[in-house]
């Protein structure tokens, strides 16, 4: 029963991401992976990231008590850092007006997860 619920929840979440056609998905990969250990466990549900104009959206699959978000420009300079709880669903980050159309990196750190992705505005 729980599997069906999680599958349905993930399906709804995936469909809702496709409904936002103006948002550009950011490919976020796990770095410093932590093994699941012995046994047969399902892969962890990870946050999704999209960008649109000067906004970055983090879609959390569940409530995350504390997540650190660090956004760096192409030169590796930190332009935005934020540590806060993330509610399940859409969390919006408005970037400062000084951002330009160049490549950025985003790092998400919470619990034992460290995610990294790259995007342009």
């Amino acid at each position: 029963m729980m599997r069906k619920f999680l599958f349905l929840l993930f399906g709804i979440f995936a469909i809702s991401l496709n409904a936002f056609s103006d948002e550009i998905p950011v490919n976020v990969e796990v770095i410093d992976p932590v093994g699941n250990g012995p046994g047969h466990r399902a892969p962890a549900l990870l946050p999704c990231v999209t960008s649109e104009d000067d906004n970055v959206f983090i879609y959390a699959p569940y409530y995350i008590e504390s997540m650190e978000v660090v956004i760096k420009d192409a030169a590796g300079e930190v332009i935005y850092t934020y540590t806060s709880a993330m509610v399940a669903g859409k969390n919006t980050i408005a970037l400062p007006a000084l951002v330009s159309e160049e490549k950025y990196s985003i790092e998400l750190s919470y619990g034992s997860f460290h995610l990294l992705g790259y995007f342009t505005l």
Side-chain angles (χ1 to χ4, degrees):
M1 182 67 174
M2 187 63 165
R3 275 191 194 169
K4 289 181 183 179
F5 176 73
L6 287 175
F7 183 73
L8 178 64
L9 184 64
F10 182 72
I12 291 171
F13 182 68
I15 290 170
S16 68
L17 284 178
N18 291 334
F20 302 105
S21 61
D22 293 335
E23 295 178 19
I24 301 168
V26 176
N27 184 23
V28 181
E29 297 179 1
V30 177
I31 56 176
D32 300 330
V34 177
N36 282 341
H40 301 283
R41 296 184 183 171
L45 293 175
L46 300 174
C48 298
V49 179
T50 63
S51 66
E52 178 184 17
D53 298 326
D54 293 341
N55 295 313
V56 174
F57 306 102
I58 299 173
Y59 292 89
Y62 46 83
Y63 175 79
I64 298 172
E65 187 173 327
S66 179
M67 176 186 285
E68 179 183 27
V69 178
V70 178
I71 298 177
K72 298 178 183 176
D73 64 13
E77 297 292 323
V78 174
I79 63 165
Y80 185 87
T81 184
Y82 179 73
T83 302
S84 181
M86 293 288 167
V87 297
K90 187 176 186 177
N91 297 272
T92 304
I93 296 174
L95 295 177
L98 62 101
V99 299
S100 61
E101 294 184 13
E102 59 181 60
K103 190 172 186 176
Y104 296 92
S105 68
I106 184 167
E107 297 177 25
L108 308 176
S109 300
Y110 66 99
S112 62
F113 293 97
H114 190 104
L115 309 170
L116 175 66
Y118 296 95
F119 65 99
T120 57
L121 294 178

